[in-house]
Amino acid sequence: MIGTKYVVRTALAAVLGMGLGLGTASAETKIGIAQFGKHPQLDETVTAFKAELTKLGVADAVYDELQVNFDATLIPQMVTKLVSSNPKLILAVTTPVAQGARQIVGNSATPVVFAAVTDPVAAKLTPSWDAGDTGMTGASDLQDVNSVVKFVKKLLPDAKRLAYLYNPGEDNDVAVLALIKEAAKAEGLELVEVGLDNTNDIPIRVSSLAGKADVIYVPGSNLVQPAVPAVAAAALSVNIPIVNASAQAVRDGLVAAAFEVSYTKVGQNAAKLASEIIAGKSPASLAPIKPTYEDHTALINEAVLAKTGQKVPDSLKDCECFAK
């Protein structure tokens, strides 16, 4: 990026202390980036963070980047190494890294901006969604259920019944259930609850939705997401389109559509908070940012949608959101 310098260190060098001192480059704004590991969505978050920070006027930044290959035991060493270079702030990517940064940094003079944290309140990173904590605030990647249902209604305007597949034993799934009930009601949709205790139930439970549901929403469930191929096959047998929480199944030709949080937007939101902190604001005065409708991206597989007897409405034909 023009006008921005990067100093990138490997996690191995940081943790084993192979003599690589951080922050050797001279710049007005030094920023540490603590990443859990290399992953497309996390990399997208960091790339967008840097680009947005430059757009916001922080063009003289030096980035000290470390990652621990998803080894949580190495997070304390990573954060400690970054803090030792006295950065202006630290970007902590993912919940485990942000929690580790909280323990190491505490309420010291080094502020932390988190990114790709689903629920900072439940993770005890901020006291509420309305304010940051002393020394910490950031950008969530929590999918906005109201936005999801609005997209479902936009994609399938004639739909009257929305089926929600979830695991009753998974807290996250149950929490989304409570939210989606209200969201569906607001959009004039009847919610059809489909609880799944194990993946063996999927074929019969999904097939039984024939005549009972017009569309199925599959959330980011740890039980249901890995079984999307089975869900898709069963839904297609009864001509019910699926809107998924992840776009990969759309690209793979399994489901009709997806509506997911954009990690580019998550990175941009984190950068906005970081720029305000660099300008002198305290993290406690900055509420964590929760994704809005505009912070999500849609992806539609027109061929799969057609297999269920549906077509893309005119309102979405120019959306530039079709799988290729």
Side-chain angles (χ1 to χ4, degrees), residues 214-263:
D214 304 308
V215 56
I216 295 170
Y217 173 60
V218 180
S221 169
N222 288 320
L223 174 71
V224 186
Q225 274 300 320
V228 163
V231 175
L236 190 58
S237 72
V238 289
N239 295 323
I240 302 178
I242 292 174
V243 174
N244 196 39
S246 172
Q248 189 56 51
V250 181
R251 299 186 188 97
D252 292 341
L254 295 174
V255 304
F259 196 68
E260 66 178 1
V261 173
S262 164
Y263 282 84

Side-chain angles (χ1 to χ4, degrees), residues 44-67:
E44 182 181 337
T45 300
V46 172
T47 298
F49 174 83
K50 295 174 183 176
E52 186 68 13
L53 209 53
T54 298
K55 289 180 181 178
L56 292 171
V58 187
D60 58 353
V62 168
Y63 294 100
D64 287 329
E65 299 182 55
L66 302 178
Q67 58 92 9

Side-chain angles (χ1 to χ4, degrees), residues 143-152 179-180 182-184 186-187 259 293:
Q143 192 166 47
D144 181 61
V145 174
N146 290 312
S147 296
V148 171
V149 177
K150 286 181 184 297
F151 171 74
V152 169
L179 296 172
I180 204 167
E182 293 299 318
E187 293 297 323
F259 196 68
Y293 187 96

Side-chain angles (χ1 to χ4, degrees), residues 113-231:
V113 173
F114 57 75
V117 168
T118 301
D119 190 337
V121 180
K124 296 181 170 44
L125 299 175
T126 61
S128 72
W129 284 100
D130 300 318
D133 200 3
T134 303
M136 178 175 280
T137 189
S140 167
D141 61 356
L142 177 66
Q143 192 166 47
D144 181 61
V145 174
N146 290 312
S147 296
V148 171
V149 177
K150 286 181 184 297
F151 171 74
V152 169
K153 194 65 177 174
K154 193 171 185 179
L155 176 66
L156 300 163
D158 295 328
K160 303 296 182 185
R161 299 161 298 182
L162 169 64
Y164 172 67
L165 271 58
Y166 73 106
N167 177 10
E170 189 171 329
D171 290 343
N172 215 36
D173 288 17
V174 175
V176 173
L177 172 62
L179 296 172
I180 204 167
K181 279 182 179 179
E182 293 299 318
K185 183 178 180 181
E187 293 297 323
L189 288 167
E190 174 190 346
L191 188 69
V192 181
E193 300 176 28
V194 184
L196 298 167
D197 296 315
N198 61 77
T199 55
N200 294 330
D201 293 339
I202 287 174
I204 190 169
R205 295 303 304 275
V206 173
S207 298
S208 69
L209 289 171
K212 300 177 182 177
D214 304 308
V215 56
I216 295 170
Y217 173 60
V218 180
S221 169
N222 288 320
L223 174 71
V224 186
Q225 274 300 320
V228 163
V231 175

